[in-house]
Each structure stands twice: as C-alpha cells, then as structure tokens.
Amino acid sequence: MKPNIKNIAVLTSGGDAPGMNACIRAVVRTGIYNGINMFGVLQGYQGLINNNINPMDARSVSNIIHLGGTILKTARCLDFKTEEGLDTAFENLKARDIDGLIAIGGDGTFTGAQRFAKKHGVKVMGIPGTIDNDLYGSDFTLGYDTAINTVIEAIDKIRDTADSHDRLFFIEVMGRDSGCIALRSAIASGAEAVLLPERDTSVDELVAQLEAGASTKKSSSIVIVSEGHKAGGAYDIAKKVKERFNHYDTKVTILGHLQRGGSPSSFDRILGSRLGFAAVNELLKGNTMQMVGLRGNDILTTTIEEALTKHSFKLESDLLEMTKVLSI
C-alpha cells in the first residue's frame, strides 16, 4: 500500500552545484502534479532548525532552470549534528504535517538525512548534488559536467598565454578526495600532466615528464593539480618543480570556487530534472532512505547507507593511461 504522503519539503545543503535549480524545479512541479503540497527549506538543515520553511507552487520555480547556484540557498549546519538540532527540525516539519524530505547535496547532506530519518522516522530521499562526482550509486553527480566544462574553458584561455610566453602553468582544480574533475579536464584540455589524489605521482616523475616534453620542443606545458594531491597544492608543487626544472617561466592558477558557479550545461539541466522527478516518485512509492542516481542511462536507487559507506568512484583506466600517451 502506498503511503499517504501529502506534504514534501526540499532543501539543498553543503556546497552548491550547477543544476540544483533545475532539480528543485522538477521536485516542486512533480509533487504538485501528483497533488502534493510542496515546501522549500531555505539555508539547508539550518533552515529546518530555524523554521525557515515556505510553501512553493509551480510559479515559485519559474525561469530558474538555467541559473547556477540554488534559489533555496545552502549552508553548513553544525547544530544539525546535535540531538537538540534534530529534535527542533523534526518539530518544525511536524507542525506543517510534512511527510517527506528531499535532500540535494553530497555526503555531508546524506549523513544528516540518514541520522534524521533513523531518529524520527522521516521519509527521506537523497539527490547527489556535488561537483566532485564522488558518491557511490551515480555515474555522474549533479554539477560535475558543468564544472568540468568551466575548468576546460579556463584552461583553454590559460594555454593561449602559456604558448605566447613559453610558460609552464600549474592549474589547481577542486577535488580533495576525488580526482574526477582533474582527470577529465586534463584529457579534454590536452594537459601535459595531471596529479590526482588517487595516484602517488612523485615530483621526480613529474619533472621527468616535463623534461621529456621540453626535449621534443614543446613550447609550453599545462599541469593539472587536484587540490587533494599528497605532494601538496599547486603552489607547493610548482615551487618544488621550479627548483629542479626551469626550462619554462612557471606560473600558478587556482580556479577555486569558479568551478561551482555558472549556468548549468544541458547535461546537468536534464540530469537535475530526471533526478528531481524520480525522487518524488520514489517517495510516493513508499521508498525512503535512498538516493536516486544515474547508472548507464537509467535512474536507479541506491540506499543512502551504500552511497555513504562505499563512497568510491573508480577512475577510468583508459583515461589514466591516456594522460601519458596523449601528452607526448
């Protein structure tokens, strides 16, 4: 028997990601289409605690599909990690008879949703919204595609000046624990080398690779550094390399939060719409404590427990090999 869900709230939590607004739009309109009263929570879990919960109608999400960021805003909330915070949030939902909660975000968001559901029996559904692409159960997370395109566009511009001045650029991209952005952007931009958290590339190996390129008269070089690499950030690595290899003038660029912003790609707009649509329908089927994700070309569910504990994304072996083969 299907649960008698009448009211659903949606929130975005943790780091913002392009495509979140497309997802919010799909959640709200899918719920309304099915006769559900929809609510938006401002500032993520902090909004649950602060009772910043507002009704939404179909017009509340007009003209947002192309916007980056999140119209619901987002925040990191330490109070939600406490028992008192969870209790306050539940009372605020209970006062509005909200039966289901859809949480869009990454592993921190899912951890909060899991604790909330276990303590108070709230029906929750997770949507993977993070540019890092580091959640188990979805081949692509929301915002990942746009972030890569943003990085590539920046690298293309940097290469113009690198070629003009015979320079070596170290470009740091996001990815504390995951090298997904770094690996794909390296292939797509034709970078000479890439440093990933998952691989222990030494400075010696990097210098040897750069020397090989210089010996074949490369006019410039681009090295992509994932922020979580064991040898340090782009500035640290550039300094170590410069001490041993000064063939080029060396520069460093940190792309930082630039990667999170901007209008979402068509892929992320469609993915956000599919995930939002699926999340509401899964709640209406009676499912809870699950995450909807893209696997192949299908939207499938994974338990939030699996999404958190398996927490792995295997970097494609062919792409890893191509970073060496295509950079000669």
Side-chain angles (χ1 to χ4, degrees), residues 49-63:
I49 293 173
N50 294 345
N51 204 20
N52 203 349
I53 306 168
N54 304 304
M56 300 184 78
D57 59 25
R59 300 289 76 79
S60 300
V61 291
S62 294
N63 299 319

Side-chain angles (χ1 to χ4, degrees), residues 51-304:
N51 204 20
N52 203 349
I53 306 168
N54 304 304
M56 300 184 78
D57 59 25
R59 300 289 76 79
S60 300
V61 291
S62 294
N63 299 319
I64 67 168
I65 196 170
H66 61 292
L67 299 177
T70 162
I71 63 165
L72 293 178
K73 310 298 182 184
T74 181
R76 302 191 188 277
C77 180
L78 295 178
D79 290 339
F80 200 70
K81 295 180 179 181
T82 68
E83 298 301 312
E84 295 80 3
L86 292 174
D87 293 343
T88 300
F90 177 67
E91 290 303 318
N92 290 333
L93 287 184
K94 187 177 176 182
R96 289 172 172 78
D97 294 322
I98 291 175
D99 314 293
L101 177 66
I102 294 176
I104 308 170
D107 53 1
T109 301
F110 289 176
T111 299
Q114 183 183 51
R115 290 184 64 239
F116 197 36
K118 284 182 176 179
K119 179 167 187 181
H120 290 293
V122 178
K123 295 179 178 64
V124 299
M125 191 63 55
I127 296 177
T130 168
I131 67 169
D132 290 334
N133 201 44
D134 59 353
L135 282 168
Y136 176 83
S138 191
D139 295 342
F140 289 86
T141 57
L142 193 56
Y144 174 52
D145 182 72
T146 305
I148 293 172
N149 282 300
T150 298
V151 170
I152 292 168
E153 183 179 357
I155 295 172
D156 287 347
K157 290 179 169 63
I158 289 170
R159 189 177 285 281
D160 289 343
T161 190
D163 283 341
S164 298
H165 294 274
D166 293 337
R167 284 175 174 165
L168 165 61
F169 266 90
F170 288 85
I171 302 172
E172 184 176 298
V173 301
M174 283 185 167
R176 185 177 63 252
D177 302 310
S178 168
C180 291
I181 291 176
L183 178 59
R184 287 197 169 231
S185 61
I187 295 295
S189 65
E192 279 66 35
V194 58
L195 303 181
L196 309 167
E198 296 89 345
R199 301 183 79 185
D200 192 14
T201 305
S202 68
V203 173
D204 289 342
E205 291 176 277
L206 178 57
V207 168
Q209 194 169 346
L210 292 172
E211 286 177 339
S215 69
T216 56
K217 300 183 179 175
K218 280 200 172 220
S219 62
S220 64
S221 285
I222 301 286
V223 177
I224 310 298
V225 181
S226 187
E227 63 181 341
H229 191 266
K230 295 174 183 176
Y235 278 108
D236 293 332
I237 294 171
K239 182 179 178 181
K240 294 173 185 176
V241 170
K242 191 173 182 179
E243 290 172 353
R244 299 176 49 189
F245 178 77
N246 60 2
H247 181 80
Y248 305 109
D249 182 21
T250 301
K251 300 292 181 182
V252 176
T253 298
I254 310 293
L255 295 184
H257 287 79
L258 176 74
Q259 297 157 84
R260 281 192 183 165
S263 182
S265 64
S266 61
F267 181 90
D268 277 327
R269 297 183 198 196
I270 294 167
L271 178 60
S273 299
R274 293 184 73 185
L275 294 175
F277 174 80
V280 173
N281 285 319
E282 290 298 327
L283 278 179
L284 296 181
K285 288 177 187 176
N287 293 326
T288 184
M289 290 185 67
Q290 296 185 16
M291 179 195 83
V292 290
L294 178 70
R295 280 183 269 166
N297 194 37
D298 297 319
I299 303 297
L300 303 173
T301 59
T302 302
T303 66
I304 288 179

Side-chain angles (χ1 to χ4, degrees), residues 3-82:
N4 187 26
I5 291 182
K6 296 180 180 178
N7 305 291
I8 294 176
V10 57
L11 61 80
T12 52
S13 175
D16 61 303
M20 280 185 167
N21 285 324
C23 190
I24 293 166
R25 173 180 178 269
V27 167
V28 170
R29 291 189 172 176
T30 302
I32 291 170
Y33 181 86
N34 285 282
I36 305 298
N37 297 313
M38 299 301 299
F39 294 83
V41 183
L42 294 179
Q43 301 289 348
Y45 292 127
Q46 192 65 55
L48 282 184
I49 293 173
N50 294 345
N51 204 20
N52 203 349
I53 306 168
N54 304 304
M56 300 184 78
D57 59 25
R59 300 289 76 79
S60 300
V61 291
S62 294
N63 299 319
I64 67 168
I65 196 170
H66 61 292
L67 299 177
T70 162
I71 63 165
L72 293 178
K73 310 298 182 184
T74 181
R76 302 191 188 277
C77 180
L78 295 178
D79 290 339
F80 200 70
K81 295 180 179 181
T82 68

